[in-house]
Amino acid sequence: MTNKPWMDQSLPALERAGLLVAAMTRGEKLTLVNGHIGAKAPGRTALPDGALGSAGYVPGVARLGIPAQQETDASLGVANLHDGEGATALPSGLALAASWDEALAEEAGRMIGAEAHAKGFNVMLAGGVNLTREPRCGRNFEYLGEDPLLAGVMAGASIRGVQSNGVVSTIKHFILNAQETGRMVLSAEIDEAALRESDLLAFQIGIERGAPGAVMSAYNRLNGAYCGEHDWLLNTVLKSDWGFDGYVMSDWGGCHSGAKAALAGLDQESGQELDREPFFRTLSDAIDAGEFPEARLDDMARRILVPLFRVGAMDAPEPKTSDIPRDAHLDVAQRAAEAGCVLLRNEGALPLDRKISSIALIGANANLGVLAGGGSSSVVPWGGYAREVRPPSETVWAKYLRQRWLPSSPLAALQAAAPNAQIQFCTGETIDEAARAATACEVAIIIAEQWTTEFLDVSDLSLSDNQDALIAAVAAANRNTVVVLITGGAVTMPWRDQVNAILAAWYPGARGAEAIAAILFGRAEPSGRLPLTFPASEADLPNPDLPGKDVAKGRFDVAYPEGADAGYRWFARENRAPLYPFGHGLSYTDFDFAELTAFGGDRLRATFKATNTGARRGAAVGQVYLVEAAGERVLRLIGWAKLDLASGETATAEIAADPRILGRYDPALPGWRAAPGFYRIALGASAGDLRLSASVHLTGLTLPP
Ligand code: BGC
């Protein structure tokens, strides 16, 4: 210890990192800021020495006890596996967000972080929190919906969970990587106030609550400049305004310069084999040429080391591999899937009776497994995929385009839930055959799928492969038709009013089918609420056409007519009725809300009561929205409470509004300003179902950025 004073665990992380940097040579510091692809890379036959074969690898410095950084994707479990043995796949981020359950998000993060740690990783590329602005974005499933408060709170919780394992988590992709089309070239055009009040606020809340060690910059440009070399974004907002003391890493292939990017705030070049050239290798020459201060290199190294100290990764330099309690972890995945299922419609078919005699089960893969989202977050499940469809070519990005089904069979799960039922399975390829099966059975269950993936957006929100026609025909044949949506996000539903029930299960993860069966048969209560709006049609979106879809090559700009008002706020502002509003979700019981009381002063608090007035247990999600702010009509979620209530039970909830959401961001201040005046809040079961309101006077306040 005496010759390694930074190993004194009683010192704060910042001080330990400072002591260590002082002992490092320039070459050693450069080692830390140059990241590599951790797996086989283009033109490379072997793994880098010591790499586990995953997304990223940064060699350590053995002399000083600095471990290699072994980086793995992502928010839904350990992806890109080196050992082929599998890992536990959580349901998609949208399912987690739909739980509106912070403790569950933390538990899920803890579970995937524990697997990362057990497999020898110490950096997890998790924490995806880009707001859903573009419902066609292929990556929405990885993220946490359209509201900055909900997404930020859930991201923070999940990151806390990951990092409780001695594993550094990122938060990503900073910022406005809202679509995949043109992600490497597009420029997101937005004004500062709108950005601060929306996407930046989601990151700000996620960082405050989760304290991630790293931020991953986005591929795209923001107002003209690449996010990975955006001085205002990285130096001013993140590091200065928010006081972030960890490091910024680039996305893979998203670094565009050496000294320029590092001066703008980028601390580590990731997977540099994917960049046009290994830019950060030029930093040494730039220092010699007097173009780059050595002090900034020290800062970069310190920023990378601080979180390694903070989470404990420096104190266990040899990654410890250990056994993973698979059943317990699969149980977490199943509970998350159950909590994330959103019952959109139920005209009485659900819950199903276990003594049901016959079921028509219809869906292309409903006998095999549940669909997963594609791309870098894709988790190889224990035992391998139930089905995998590969694209014809195998270029670097084509591996993101593999369609995969996890081995959790709806057919088997339904049969286990209703052992005496005759289940007639058909793929639905022949619509007549499906309709005949539906006619012959008590209930028809259709598993409808929409595949989305990183790298590609969907061209529109309708279900592919004639599934709309299939559903309409089955609904015409059986009044008890239940549609289970396994999708990357919102879809349109021309058949909505013809079916009896609709359950949004997102990509439900390793135990997805078991979770769906538990909800359908009422062994688990549906308690999920939409974390995003389901639009009635693309015509109602701020950008009715997918930006850049006709741009064959080259750069383009994306404007956001909604400004800060992503999702439901846009629909409210424009008086457009969605298909299903943000926050919507039914239960098998009913709730009454009462006694909404608002307390003013310089902050806003509210209390309310919820009573379960139905016959079954269930969870109420009381949502409090700001509907008027000092004379301005608005609609903004300011808090919620998820209350698990037995039949007849009443509970009281209290929420404290984040003062930033009460006001507006004023770049001239600079900071947040809530004007003095009357503020009206409303309590409801969704953004479209506000039931009680209360007014309160606020004295007004300003807050720093
Ligand atoms: C994705 C990141 C991911 C990285 C490493 C990129 O394509 O955008 O989210 O962490 O790859 O796999």
Side-chain angles (χ1 to χ4, degrees), residues 54-56 71-74 79-80 124-126 128 139 142-143 170 172-173 177 180 183-184 216-219 249-253 270 274 375-377 397 399-400 454-455:
S54 192
E71 302 168 322
T72 181
D73 285 301
N80 294 335
M124 200 161 200
L125 310 170
R139 260 186 127 168
E142 283 187 55
Y143 307 141
T170 57
K172 72 185 186 185
H173 309 86
N177 188 168
E180 293 297 285
R183 69 176 182 175
M184 312 299 270
M216 188 190 294
S217 58
Y219 281 131
M249 66 168 79
S250 57
D251 199 346
W252 275 237
S270 305
L274 278 176
S376 58
S377 68
W397 295 112
K399 73 169 196 272
Y400 286 8
E454 176 178 348
F455 197 61

Short mmCIF file of all heavy atoms in Angstrom, two decimals, residues 54-56 71-74 79-80 124-126 128 139 142-143 170 172-173 177 180 183-184 216-219 249-253 270 274 375-377 397 399-400 454-455, ligand 1:
data_model
loop_
_atom_site.label_atom_id
_atom_site.label_comp_id
_atom_site.label_asym_id
_atom_site.label_seq_id
_atom_site.Cartn_x
_atom_site.Cartn_y
_atom_site.Cartn_z
N SER A 54 -16.06 -9.21 -26.17
CA SER A 54 -17.35 -8.55 -26.17
C SER A 54 -17.25 -7.18 -26.83
O SER A 54 -16.32 -6.93 -27.59
CB SER A 54 -17.86 -8.46 -24.74
OG SER A 54 -19.20 -8.09 -24.74
N ALA A 55 -18.18 -6.27 -26.50
CA ALA A 55 -18.24 -5.01 -27.25
C ALA A 55 -16.95 -4.20 -27.17
O ALA A 55 -16.48 -3.68 -28.17
CB ALA A 55 -19.41 -4.16 -26.73
N GLY A 56 -16.38 -4.11 -25.98
CA GLY A 56 -15.23 -3.22 -25.86
C GLY A 56 -14.19 -3.69 -24.88
O GLY A 56 -14.47 -4.47 -23.95
N GLU A 71 -15.83 -4.31 -21.43
CA GLU A 71 -17.13 -3.64 -21.61
C GLU A 71 -18.13 -4.55 -22.32
O GLU A 71 -17.81 -5.14 -23.35
CB GLU A 71 -16.94 -2.38 -22.46
CG GLU A 71 -15.95 -1.39 -21.86
CD GLU A 71 -15.54 -0.29 -22.83
OE1 GLU A 71 -15.37 -0.59 -24.04
OE2 GLU A 71 -15.39 0.85 -22.40
N THR A 72 -19.32 -4.61 -21.77
CA THR A 72 -20.37 -5.39 -22.43
C THR A 72 -21.66 -4.60 -22.54
O THR A 72 -21.99 -3.82 -21.66
CB THR A 72 -20.65 -6.71 -21.67
OG1 THR A 72 -21.66 -7.44 -22.37
CG2 THR A 72 -21.15 -6.47 -20.25
N ASP A 73 -22.39 -4.80 -23.64
CA ASP A 73 -23.76 -4.29 -23.71
C ASP A 73 -24.59 -5.12 -22.76
O ASP A 73 -24.24 -6.27 -22.47
CB ASP A 73 -24.27 -4.45 -25.15
CG ASP A 73 -23.65 -3.38 -26.06
OD1 ASP A 73 -23.84 -2.21 -25.77
OD2 ASP A 73 -22.98 -3.75 -27.04
N ALA A 74 -25.71 -4.67 -22.41
CA ALA A 74 -26.40 -3.39 -22.48
C ALA A 74 -27.51 -3.44 -21.45
O ALA A 74 -27.49 -4.28 -20.56
CB ALA A 74 -26.95 -3.12 -23.86
N ALA A 79 -24.92 -8.90 -23.22
CA ALA A 79 -25.06 -9.22 -24.64
C ALA A 79 -23.70 -9.55 -25.25
O ALA A 79 -22.69 -9.55 -24.56
CB ALA A 79 -25.68 -8.03 -25.36
N ASN A 80 -23.68 -9.81 -26.53
CA ASN A 80 -22.42 -10.04 -27.27
C ASN A 80 -21.52 -11.05 -26.59
O ASN A 80 -20.34 -10.80 -26.38
CB ASN A 80 -21.60 -8.74 -27.34
CG ASN A 80 -22.29 -7.69 -28.17
OD1 ASN A 80 -23.09 -8.02 -29.03
ND2 ASN A 80 -21.99 -6.45 -27.92
N MET A 124 -20.61 -1.82 -18.05
CA MET A 124 -21.80 -2.25 -18.76
C MET A 124 -22.37 -1.07 -19.54
O MET A 124 -22.61 0.00 -18.97
CB MET A 124 -22.82 -2.77 -17.75
CG MET A 124 -23.86 -3.66 -18.37
SD MET A 124 -24.72 -4.68 -17.16
CE MET A 124 -25.36 -5.95 -18.27
N LEU A 125 -22.59 -1.29 -20.83
CA LEU A 125 -23.02 -0.20 -21.72
C LEU A 125 -24.54 -0.06 -21.66
O LEU A 125 -25.24 -0.18 -22.66
CB LEU A 125 -22.51 -0.47 -23.13
CG LEU A 125 -21.00 -0.81 -23.19
CD1 LEU A 125 -20.61 -1.30 -24.59
CD2 LEU A 125 -20.16 0.40 -22.79
N ALA A 126 -25.02 0.16 -20.44
CA ALA A 126 -26.46 0.16 -20.18
C ALA A 126 -26.98 1.60 -20.09
O ALA A 126 -26.32 2.53 -20.53
CB ALA A 126 -26.73 -0.61 -18.89
N GLY A 128 -29.74 3.13 -21.46
CA GLY A 128 -30.30 3.79 -22.67
C GLY A 128 -31.54 4.59 -22.29
O GLY A 128 -32.50 4.04 -21.78
N ARG A 139 -34.99 1.44 -32.24
CA ARG A 139 -34.38 1.17 -30.95
C ARG A 139 -35.23 1.59 -29.77
O ARG A 139 -34.76 1.53 -28.64
CB ARG A 139 -33.05 1.92 -30.87
CG ARG A 139 -31.88 1.05 -31.15
CD ARG A 139 -30.59 1.78 -30.92
NE ARG A 139 -29.76 1.01 -30.04
CZ ARG A 139 -28.49 1.24 -29.80
NH1 ARG A 139 -27.90 2.27 -30.37
NH2 ARG A 139 -27.80 0.49 -28.99
N GLU A 142 -35.29 -0.46 -26.51
CA GLU A 142 -34.20 -0.44 -25.53
C GLU A 142 -34.38 0.66 -24.50
O GLU A 142 -33.76 0.64 -23.45
CB GLU A 142 -32.86 -0.17 -26.23
CG GLU A 142 -32.27 -1.32 -26.97
CD GLU A 142 -30.88 -0.96 -27.46
OE1 GLU A 142 -30.02 -0.57 -26.66
OE2 GLU A 142 -30.66 -1.05 -28.68
N TYR A 143 -35.14 1.67 -24.85
CA TYR A 143 -35.22 2.88 -24.03
C TYR A 143 -36.45 2.85 -23.13
O TYR A 143 -37.12 1.84 -23.00
CB TYR A 143 -35.21 4.11 -24.94
CG TYR A 143 -34.06 4.18 -25.92
CD1 TYR A 143 -34.24 4.64 -27.22
CD2 TYR A 143 -32.78 3.76 -25.54
CE1 TYR A 143 -33.18 4.71 -28.11
CE2 TYR A 143 -31.72 3.83 -26.44
CZ TYR A 143 -31.93 4.30 -27.73
OH TYR A 143 -30.88 4.37 -28.62
N THR A 170 -22.84 2.92 -18.10
CA THR A 170 -23.00 4.15 -18.86
C THR A 170 -24.44 4.63 -18.72
O THR A 170 -25.32 3.93 -18.23
CB THR A 170 -22.78 3.94 -20.37
OG1 THR A 170 -23.68 2.93 -20.85
CG2 THR A 170 -21.37 3.52 -20.68
N LYS A 172 -26.79 6.44 -21.91
CA LYS A 172 -26.55 6.67 -23.34
C LYS A 172 -27.85 6.91 -24.08
O LYS A 172 -28.91 6.61 -23.52
CB LYS A 172 -25.80 5.46 -23.93
CG LYS A 172 -26.65 4.18 -24.08
CD LYS A 172 -25.79 3.01 -24.55
CE LYS A 172 -26.65 1.80 -24.84
NZ LYS A 172 -25.88 0.60 -25.19
N HIS A 173 -27.88 7.42 -25.29
CA HIS A 173 -26.79 7.94 -26.11
C HIS A 173 -26.97 9.45 -26.10
O HIS A 173 -28.02 9.94 -26.53
CB HIS A 173 -26.86 7.40 -27.53
CG HIS A 173 -26.97 5.91 -27.58
ND1 HIS A 173 -28.17 5.23 -27.51
CD2 HIS A 173 -26.02 4.94 -27.70
CE1 HIS A 173 -27.96 3.92 -27.58
NE2 HIS A 173 -26.67 3.70 -27.69
N ASN A 177 -30.37 10.77 -30.08
CA ASN A 177 -30.30 9.66 -31.05
C ASN A 177 -31.72 9.07 -31.13
O ASN A 177 -31.98 7.98 -30.69
CB ASN A 177 -29.29 8.62 -30.55
CG ASN A 177 -29.00 7.53 -31.57
OD1 ASN A 177 -28.05 6.77 -31.38
ND2 ASN A 177 -29.78 7.41 -32.63
N GLU A 180 -32.88 5.72 -36.00
CA GLU A 180 -31.74 4.99 -36.52
C GLU A 180 -31.40 5.43 -37.95
O GLU A 180 -30.24 5.41 -38.34
CB GLU A 180 -31.99 3.49 -36.46
CG GLU A 180 -32.06 2.97 -35.03
CD GLU A 180 -30.73 3.15 -34.29
OE1 GLU A 180 -29.79 2.39 -34.55
OE2 GLU A 180 -30.66 4.08 -33.46
N ARG A 183 -28.42 7.75 -38.51
CA ARG A 183 -27.92 8.09 -37.17
C ARG A 183 -26.48 8.56 -37.15
O ARG A 183 -26.07 9.30 -36.27
CB ARG A 183 -28.09 6.90 -36.21
CG ARG A 183 -27.18 5.70 -36.50
CD ARG A 183 -27.35 4.61 -35.44
NE ARG A 183 -26.45 3.48 -35.71
CZ ARG A 183 -26.31 2.44 -34.91
NH1 ARG A 183 -27.00 2.37 -33.78
NH2 ARG A 183 -25.49 1.46 -35.20
N MET A 184 -25.67 8.13 -38.15
CA MET A 184 -24.27 8.52 -38.16
C MET A 184 -24.06 9.92 -38.76
O MET A 184 -22.96 10.46 -38.67
CB MET A 184 -23.42 7.53 -38.98
CG MET A 184 -23.61 6.07 -38.69
SD MET A 184 -23.22 5.61 -37.00
CE MET A 184 -21.49 5.22 -37.11
N MET A 216 -22.20 7.79 -22.69
CA MET A 216 -21.81 7.48 -24.07
C MET A 216 -22.41 8.53 -24.99
O MET A 216 -23.63 8.76 -24.97
CB MET A 216 -22.31 6.09 -24.48
CG MET A 216 -21.77 5.64 -25.85
SD MET A 216 -22.57 4.14 -26.49
CE MET A 216 -22.04 2.93 -25.30
N SER A 217 -21.55 9.16 -25.77
CA SER A 217 -22.06 10.18 -26.68
C SER A 217 -22.78 9.50 -27.85
O SER A 217 -22.48 8.36 -28.21
CB SER A 217 -20.93 11.08 -27.19
OG SER A 217 -19.95 10.31 -27.83
N ALA A 218 -23.73 10.24 -28.41
CA ALA A 218 -24.54 9.68 -29.50
C ALA A 218 -23.79 9.78 -30.83
O ALA A 218 -22.87 10.58 -30.98
CB ALA A 218 -25.86 10.44 -29.60
N TYR A 219 -24.21 8.97 -31.78
CA TYR A 219 -23.60 9.00 -33.12
C TYR A 219 -23.89 10.31 -33.85
O TYR A 219 -23.06 10.84 -34.56
CB TYR A 219 -24.20 7.88 -33.98
CG TYR A 219 -23.65 6.51 -33.73
CD1 TYR A 219 -24.49 5.41 -33.54
CD2 TYR A 219 -22.26 6.27 -33.73
CE1 TYR A 219 -23.99 4.14 -33.35
CE2 TYR A 219 -21.76 5.00 -33.53
CZ TYR A 219 -22.62 3.93 -33.34
OH TYR A 219 -22.13 2.69 -33.15
N MET A 249 -17.47 8.43 -23.10
CA MET A 249 -16.91 7.55 -24.14
C MET A 249 -17.71 7.75 -25.42
O MET A 249 -18.89 8.09 -25.38
CB MET A 249 -16.97 6.08 -23.70
CG MET A 249 -18.37 5.52 -23.57
SD MET A 249 -18.40 3.71 -23.40
CE MET A 249 -17.97 3.49 -21.70
N SER A 250 -17.04 7.54 -26.55
CA SER A 250 -17.77 7.66 -27.82
C SER A 250 -18.54 6.38 -28.08
O SER A 250 -18.24 5.33 -27.51
CB SER A 250 -16.79 7.93 -28.96
OG SER A 250 -15.81 6.91 -29.03
N ASP A 251 -19.55 6.46 -28.94
CA ASP A 251 -20.19 5.23 -29.41
C ASP A 251 -19.27 4.62 -30.47
O ASP A 251 -18.39 5.30 -31.02
CB ASP A 251 -21.58 5.54 -29.98
CG ASP A 251 -22.46 4.29 -30.05
OD1 ASP A 251 -21.92 3.16 -29.91
OD2 ASP A 251 -23.69 4.42 -30.25
N TRP A 252 -19.48 3.35 -30.74
CA TRP A 252 -18.57 2.59 -31.59
C TRP A 252 -18.61 3.08 -33.04
O TRP A 252 -19.61 2.90 -33.74
CB TRP A 252 -18.92 1.11 -31.48
CG TRP A 252 -18.28 0.40 -30.32
CD1 TRP A 252 -17.49 -0.70 -30.40
CD2 TRP A 252 -18.36 0.73 -28.91
NE1 TRP A 252 -17.06 -1.08 -29.13
CE2 TRP A 252 -17.57 -0.22 -28.21
CE3 TRP A 252 -18.97 1.74 -28.18
CZ2 TRP A 252 -17.41 -0.19 -26.82
CZ3 TRP A 252 -18.81 1.76 -26.80
CH2 TRP A 252 -18.04 0.82 -26.14
N GLY A 253 -17.55 3.71 -33.47
CA GLY A 253 -17.54 4.31 -34.81
C GLY A 253 -18.04 5.75 -34.76
O GLY A 253 -18.29 6.35 -35.81
N SER A 270 -13.97 4.85 -28.03
CA SER A 270 -14.37 3.44 -27.91
C SER A 270 -14.14 2.73 -29.23
O SER A 270 -14.21 3.35 -30.29
CB SER A 270 -15.86 3.34 -27.60
OG SER A 270 -16.19 4.06 -26.46
N LEU A 274 -13.33 0.84 -35.37
CA LEU A 274 -14.48 1.19 -36.20
C LEU A 274 -14.45 2.64 -36.66
O LEU A 274 -15.24 3.06 -37.51
CB LEU A 274 -15.79 0.95 -35.44
CG LEU A 274 -16.33 -0.48 -35.42
CD1 LEU A 274 -17.57 -0.57 -34.55
CD2 LEU A 274 -16.65 -0.97 -36.83
N GLY A 375 -30.00 -6.07 -32.47
CA GLY A 375 -28.90 -5.11 -32.35
C GLY A 375 -27.97 -5.41 -31.20
O GLY A 375 -27.96 -6.53 -30.67
N SER A 376 -27.19 -4.40 -30.81
CA SER A 376 -26.14 -4.63 -29.83
C SER A 376 -26.68 -5.05 -28.47
O SER A 376 -25.98 -5.64 -27.67
CB SER A 376 -25.27 -3.37 -29.68
OG SER A 376 -26.07 -2.26 -29.30
N SER A 377 -27.95 -4.76 -28.18
CA SER A 377 -28.49 -5.10 -26.86
C SER A 377 -29.00 -6.53 -26.79
O SER A 377 -29.44 -6.99 -25.73
CB SER A 377 -29.66 -4.16 -26.53
OG SER A 377 -30.76 -4.42 -27.37
N TRP A 397 -22.44 -4.65 -39.83
CA TRP A 397 -23.72 -4.24 -39.26
C TRP A 397 -24.79 -5.29 -39.45
O TRP A 397 -25.79 -5.29 -38.74
CB TRP A 397 -24.18 -2.91 -39.88
CG TRP A 397 -23.27 -1.77 -39.53
CD1 TRP A 397 -22.46 -1.09 -40.39
CD2 TRP A 397 -23.05 -1.19 -38.23
NE1 TRP A 397 -21.76 -0.12 -39.71
CE2 TRP A 397 -22.10 -0.16 -38.39
CE3 TRP A 397 -23.56 -1.44 -36.96
CZ2 TRP A 397 -21.65 0.63 -37.32
CZ3 TRP A 397 -23.12 -0.67 -35.91
CH2 TRP A 397 -22.18 0.35 -36.08
N LYS A 399 -24.91 -8.20 -38.60
CA LYS A 399 -25.16 -9.05 -37.44
C LYS A 399 -26.24 -8.43 -36.54
O LYS A 399 -26.84 -9.11 -35.72
CB LYS A 399 -23.88 -9.35 -36.69
CG LYS A 399 -23.31 -8.22 -35.88
CD LYS A 399 -22.18 -8.78 -34.98
CE LYS A 399 -21.82 -7.84 -33.87
NZ LYS A 399 -20.83 -6.85 -34.10
N TYR A 400 -26.48 -7.12 -36.74
CA TYR A 400 -27.56 -6.49 -35.98
C TYR A 400 -28.93 -6.83 -36.56
O TYR A 400 -29.94 -6.51 -35.98
CB TYR A 400 -27.40 -4.96 -36.01
CG TYR A 400 -26.30 -4.44 -35.12
CD1 TYR A 400 -25.41 -5.31 -34.49
CD2 TYR A 400 -26.16 -3.08 -34.90
CE1 TYR A 400 -24.40 -4.82 -33.69
CE2 TYR A 400 -25.14 -2.59 -34.09
CZ TYR A 400 -24.27 -3.47 -33.50
OH TYR A 400 -23.29 -2.99 -32.70
N GLU A 454 -31.92 -2.18 -33.71
CA GLU A 454 -30.95 -1.12 -33.89
C GLU A 454 -30.56 -1.08 -35.35
O GLU A 454 -30.53 -2.12 -36.01
CB GLU A 454 -29.71 -1.44 -33.03
CG GLU A 454 -28.59 -0.46 -33.20
CD GLU A 454 -27.40 -0.77 -32.32
OE1 GLU A 454 -27.50 -1.61 -31.42
OE2 GLU A 454 -26.34 -0.16 -32.55
N PHE A 455 -30.25 0.10 -35.85
CA PHE A 455 -29.74 0.25 -37.21
C PHE A 455 -30.83 0.49 -38.25
O PHE A 455 -30.58 1.03 -39.30
CB PHE A 455 -28.91 -0.97 -37.60
CG PHE A 455 -28.02 -0.76 -38.78
CD1 PHE A 455 -27.03 0.20 -38.74
CD2 PHE A 455 -28.17 -1.51 -39.94
CE1 PHE A 455 -26.20 0.41 -39.83
CE2 PHE A 455 -27.34 -1.31 -41.03
CZ PHE A 455 -26.36 -0.35 -40.98
C1 BGC B 1 -24.52 1.05 -30.11
C2 BGC B 1 -24.22 1.20 -28.63
C3 BGC B 1 -23.45 -0.01 -28.16
C4 BGC B 1 -22.18 -0.15 -28.99
C5 BGC B 1 -21.29 -1.30 -28.56
C6 BGC B 1 -23.29 0.68 -30.93
O1 BGC B 1 -23.69 0.27 -32.19
O2 BGC B 1 -25.09 2.24 -30.59
O3 BGC B 1 -25.40 1.35 -27.92
O4 BGC B 1 -23.17 0.09 -26.79
O5 BGC B 1 -22.56 -0.35 -30.33
O6 BGC B 1 -21.83 -2.52 -28.90
#
